Amino acid sequence: MATAFSFAQTILFSKTSLSIRTNGLRSFSFCLPFSSSSAASLSSDKLQSKKWRQPVASVLELGGVKIAKDDVLRDDPTNNVPDTIFAKLGMQLHRRDQHPIGILKNAIYEYFDTNYSNQFDKFDNLCPIVSVKENFDDVLVPADHVSRSYNDTYYVDAQTVLRCHTSAHQAELLRRGHTHFLVTGDVYRRDSIDSTHYPVFHQMEGVCVFSPSDWEASGTDGTTYVAGDLKKCLEGLARHLFGAVEMRWVDTYFPFTNPSFELEIFFQEKWLEVLGCGVTEQEILRRSGKTDNVAWAFGLGLERLAMVLFDIPDIRLFWSNDERFTSQFSSGQLGVKFKPFSKYPPCYKDVSFWINEAFTENNLCEVVREVAGDLAEEVQLIDNFTNKKGMTSHCYRIAYRSMERSLTDEEINKLQWNVRELVQSKLNVVLR
């Protein structure tokens, strides 16, 4: 949904036709009806400093589309997709019926199937590699929006990205004639490192389109009618997932819906944002050939809700293959409380350096993830000062911890040494 893009930031742990190449994405061009569109301006210094990668033979199949590793990790100056992110493509946690993400998805499916007589089409295997136009332009993301930046989004090339939100498929589905649908998928965002942030997470959005005959008998206008239907639908969904909880609606702003709302529930003695939603902007419908219609849309982050429903304390656990984690969950069992099994202590290491104008914290986190993967539990700025010469120093504390075993001093020291080397070489900062 259009609004899901914004919801990915405000709800999911808020802080904050392709030019076909002869060696490019030919194998999945049919699922990416790309057209040219200007990408976000990327820093030339950053692009020139990037190391080109030697492609590695590896093929995935997503949504019936074959994707080779060198289709994603391209020798292209605009490409900023690391190996660690490519490794997550194709894992599709939302399609595993015994995984918390899949269990939650199926519970939401059950609600819509039961209450809407199977009217909603379901899509959970759409190709995550989309055009800039699909990801941004089609859902009215402004041309100067920060989300288009190299710092926030994974670019395959200047016109192609790993989807930031499931809304990237909305316009195409509307053009195909779908009027009631749910889209679930893995989405990708360059982000910070802590217990609630991860560069890959999962979203679900819903869209429902109404015709004039739906609201004319109600005596109200289309927008009022659709907004009322939306709230009734989502209040029912919240009760289905959380039980008889107190709820409240909060008026908000999203550029893709008007009016726009957030639903909060009072759960475990505090107010919790569950999702964002609204009445779809008419421009989105108009571009899809639905000039006389009104629609609603909602978007939610599955990790956000799963962590609450299953008492999962660290987002990295969703990616664990440890049987002590995976064996705790069964298909159809929503809300089974996770029993912690890791008592391993974290190890803290600090790194200090003089930053430059191009430095961003997201770039630092990418370097840490490249070295430590999921052993990096948190990266936190602990000191920041500017000297008399105008030079600014940052000191970051990195917490290393495995969810499954004890880390040795030797491997932690090696990780930290590699982080320091890459921080200096890739980010062009001066270590202190």
Side-chain angles (χ1 to χ4, degrees):
M1 53 168 269
T3 46
F5 174 78
S6 180
F7 302 153
Q9 301 169 72
T10 62
I11 293 178
L12 183 67
F13 317 121
S14 296
K15 292 172 90 169
T16 214
S17 147
L18 178 66
S19 298
I20 303 300
R21 307 176 186 215
T22 56
N23 63 346
L25 303 179
R26 295 173 298 174
S27 58
F28 58 90
S29 59
F30 73 89
C31 85
L32 301 176
F34 294 167
S35 62
S36 59
S37 174
S38 60
S41 60
L42 309 181
S43 166
S44 59
D45 290 338
K46 290 178 184 176
L47 299 181
Q48 290 171 4
S49 66
K50 284 183 57 58
K51 294 183 179 179
W52 285 23
R53 303 177 181 88
Q54 179 64 35
V56 178
S58 180
V59 177
L60 300 171
E61 186 165 334
L62 300 173
V65 179
K66 290 185 177 180
I67 303 173
K69 188 169 185 178
D70 56 357
D71 286 333
V72 181
L73 305 187
R74 288 189 175 186
D75 284 350
D76 185 299
T78 59
N79 184 289
N80 66 341
V81 182
D83 289 359
T84 51
I85 293 300
F86 177 80
K88 296 296 191 291
L89 285 169
M91 294 190 70
Q92 297 187 311
L93 304 184
H94 60 286
R95 304 190 77 210
R96 302 182 185 184
D97 291 342
Q98 294 185 312
H99 190 282
I101 299 296
I103 294 169
L104 176 56
K105 180 199 76 172
N106 290 333
I108 298 172
Y109 280 1
E110 179 185 31
Y111 169 78
F112 279 93
D113 287 345
T114 301
N115 291 275
Y116 291 89
S117 302
N118 297 305
Q119 294 179 33
F120 279 78
D121 300 321
K122 304 179 189 70
F123 302 90
D124 71 351
N125 195 26
L126 298 176
C127 186
I129 305 174
V130 300
S131 68
V132 168
K133 178 179 182 296
E134 289 171 311
N135 198 73
F136 297 119
D137 301 332
D138 283 353
V139 288
L140 310 184
V141 176
D144 60 351
H145 197 278
V146 64
S147 63
R148 292 178 180 254
S149 73
Y150 180 89
N151 186 59
D152 282 20
T153 295
Y154 290 110
Y155 280 81
V156 175
D157 59 31
Q159 301 301 325
T160 318
V161 298
L162 299 184
R163 64 185 171 206
C164 300
H165 49 163
T166 48
S167 303
H169 306 286
Q170 184 188 111
E172 177 64 19
L173 292 173
L174 287 170
R175 284 193 293 267
R176 290 182 186 177
H178 296 284
T179 58
H180 300 67
F181 56 87
L182 303 171
V183 180
T184 313
D186 43 338
V187 297
Y188 299 80
R189 295 292 303 237
R190 300 177 91 239
D191 211 339
S192 53
I193 297 177
D194 59 38
S195 63
T196 60
H197 288 80
Y198 203 78
V200 188
F201 55 98
H202 298 77
Q203 279 189 350
M204 179 185 288
E205 68 177 86
V207 173
C208 186
V209 180
F210 297 79
S211 300
S213 58
D214 294 317
W215 68 76
E216 284 174 347
S218 69
T220 62
D221 61 276
T223 297
T224 302
Y225 178 86
V226 169
D229 185 271
L230 169 66
K231 290 183 176 181
K232 179 181 177 181
C233 169
L234 296 180
E235 287 173 0
L237 175 60
R239 284 190 291 269
H240 179 72
L241 297 177
F242 293 94
V245 293
E246 184 181 354
M247 305 179 210
R248 67 184 183 189
W249 288 98
V250 178
D251 292 335
T252 188
Y253 168 79
F254 301 112
F256 325 110
T257 53
N258 184 26
S260 302
F261 316 101
E262 290 175 349
L263 176 61
E264 297 182 350
I265 64 170
F266 194 70
F267 188 72
Q268 296 178 346
E269 304 303 317
K270 62 182 178 181
W271 285 102
L272 172 72
E273 288 183 10
V274 176
L275 50 79
C277 60
V279 178
T280 305
E281 281 286 0
Q282 286 302 116
E283 177 63 15
I284 293 175
L285 295 174
R286 185 190 67 77
R287 293 181 184 182
S288 301
K290 302 182 184 305
T291 56
D292 297 326
N293 302 96
V294 180
W296 58 241
F298 73 85
L300 54 84
L302 293 177
E303 275 84 351
R304 163 80 165 173
L305 300 186
M307 290 182 81
V308 173
L309 288 166
F310 294 94
D311 278 353
I312 295 174
D314 193 305
I315 196 169
R316 294 174 298 163
L317 280 164
F318 289 114
W319 300 93
S320 175
N321 291 318
D322 192 309
E323 288 187 359
R324 291 173 295 176
F325 176 78
T326 58
S327 64
Q328 293 191 36
F329 309 102
S330 301
S331 177
Q333 300 299 308
L334 182 67
V336 172
K337 301 307 180 185
F338 168 69
K339 296 181 178 64
F341 57 83
S342 174
K343 301 182 184 298
Y344 306 112
C347 178
Y348 299 99
K349 296 287 184 179
D350 296 348
V351 57
S352 300
F353 46 83
W354 299 104
I355 68 170
N356 53 45
E357 291 183 355
F359 174 80
T360 70
E361 191 167 305
N362 279 354
N363 285 339
L364 171 64
C365 289
E366 283 297 315
V367 168
V368 174
R369 283 195 178 101
E370 181 177 343
V371 173
D374 285 354
L375 296 181
E377 180 177 68
E378 184 175 32
V379 174
Q380 183 181 17
L381 178 65
I382 61 171
D383 187 48
N384 176 8
F385 74 90
T386 301
N387 66 14
K388 294 180 179 179
K389 297 181 179 180
M391 298 174 63
T392 299
S393 171
H394 283 185
C395 179
Y396 287 89
R397 178 157 294 164
I398 304 172
Y400 297 99
R401 172 158 49 182
S402 170
M403 308 297 292
E404 301 165 0
R405 62 182 178 83
S406 292
L407 299 177
T408 66
D409 289 339
E410 181 181 3
E411 64 182 320
I412 292 170
N413 289 335
K414 183 177 180 180
L415 289 173
Q416 183 68 5
W417 180 259
N418 289 339
V419 165
R420 288 175 60 85
E421 285 192 324
L422 278 183
V423 164
Q424 184 171 237
S425 63
K426 284 200 165 188
L427 305 186
N428 296 320
V429 298
V430 178
L431 293 175
R432 297 184 61 223

